[in-house]
Amino acid sequence: MFAFGDAEWPGVAKLNEEAGELVQVIGKLMMTHGKAAHWDGTDLRVRFVLELGDLAAAIQFTVARVLTVDEVRLLRARIQEKFEQFEKWHQEQGASG
């Protein structure tokens, strides 16, 4: 169950893997205080972008194969709601740009 080709939850295992890889890059960014240059010689900003892309692809794959039309509507509404909440928090913290 949950293997990549699983009939009931296709892509969920990959979704989990990609989310974990993004979390690893974010942890490295935190360890470098946001500096892109990592001590292993890689550019964390590039790795961040690539892992975001991998996660977005895994989300898209899973949404297309797992969710019903009504669940997709719920997902879209939730995305909009959370985005607006994040914008509000961003403004309240006085962040710019």
Side-chain angles (χ1 to χ4, degrees):
M1 186 163 148
F2 290 111
F4 193 75
D6 186 71
E8 188 173 354
W9 295 98
V12 171
K14 192 64 175 171
L15 179 65
N16 184 63
E17 177 188 338
E18 297 299 350
E21 290 174 2
L22 179 60
V23 168
Q24 287 179 346
V25 172
I26 291 168
K28 290 175 189 221
L29 280 165
M30 293 168 69
M31 292 292 292
T32 63
H33 301 279
K35 293 183 177 133
H38 191 259
W39 47 81
D40 68 4
T42 61
D43 183 326
L44 293 177
R45 188 169 189 90
V46 170
R47 289 175 65 184
F48 180 74
V49 170
L50 294 176
E51 292 303 339
L52 277 175
D54 292 353
L55 181 57
I59 291 169
Q60 186 175 353
F61 181 90
T62 303
V63 166
R65 285 164 177 78
V66 173
L67 301 186
T68 66
V69 171
D70 287 340
E71 290 169 334
V72 170
R73 285 188 193 111
L74 177 62
L75 174 66
R76 288 180 178 155
R78 180 61 169 191
I79 290 169
Q80 185 61 41
E81 174 187 321
K82 290 302 265 189
F83 185 85
E84 290 170 5
Q85 186 177 40
F86 297 160
E87 285 286 357
K88 180 181 176 215
W89 290 342
H90 183 71
Q91 294 303 317
E92 288 173 355
Q93 295 298 317
S96 61

